[in-house]
Amino acid sequence: MILTIVSLAALSSAVLPAAIWADTLPIKGSYGNKDGCAYAKSGESTGSDNFFLLTSEAITTAASYCEIKKLVKTEGKNFTAAVSCQAEGEEGESEDTAKITSGPKGYTIGLASDAAIKWGPLPLCK
């Protein structure tokens, strides 16, 4: 009985960390518009509907939060990532692919599920 408990504990500690850690983008700092950068600095939302923030872990807007789950492709400072998004007022998560493109004015973000979505350019927060 003790051997079984120890074996289960060892197995769960070996498997659990891999499930917890998601990939992150290889970027330094936060990128956003005025309200997104204000949130990055203070942790307080301004309540603005014009809110965009990109960090190495997630893409946050006024109405959604998309966690970076897996870095699919890297080309210089351009990235394609699998994301898991939660939209305000909706239950559950949706899986999507984000294309994050670097330009002279910052990063621009698009989602595979909706070609009309283009967020940015988002400059480095100061």
Side-chain angles (χ1 to χ4, degrees):
M1 182 68 129
I2 292 174
L3 181 58
T4 303
I5 293 170
V6 171
S7 298
L8 286 175
L11 177 63
S12 66
S13 67
V15 174
L16 192 56
I20 290 174
W21 299 108
D23 278 349
T24 59
L25 298 176
I27 62 173
K28 294 203 186 294
S30 300
Y31 294 78
N33 65 354
K34 179 183 172 185
D35 292 314
C37 287
Y39 177 77
K41 286 184 181 189
S42 70
E44 301 278 326
S45 173
T46 63
S48 171
D49 287 338
N50 186 24
F51 175 102
F52 300 97
L53 179 64
L54 171 67
T55 65
S56 62
E57 296 90 21
I59 303 161
T60 308
T61 74
S64 63
Y65 176 83
C66 297
E67 181 181 4
I68 308 295
K69 290 295 188 179
K70 181 176 176 148
L71 193 55
V72 177
K73 187 176 182 183
T74 300
E75 292 179 0
K77 292 184 178 182
N78 300 321
F79 313 103
T80 302
V83 295
S84 181
C85 301
Q86 293 180 319
E88 183 178 346
E90 295 182 20
E91 290 195 25
E93 296 180 354
S94 62
E95 304 301 316
D96 209 334
T97 302
K99 188 156 183 89
I100 303 155
T101 308
S102 178
K105 295 184 178 180
Y107 283 101
T108 300
I109 302 163
L111 295 177
S113 64
D114 187 344
I117 292 179
K118 290 285 185 244
W119 299 322
L122 305 175
L124 179 64
C125 296
K126 298 179 182 186

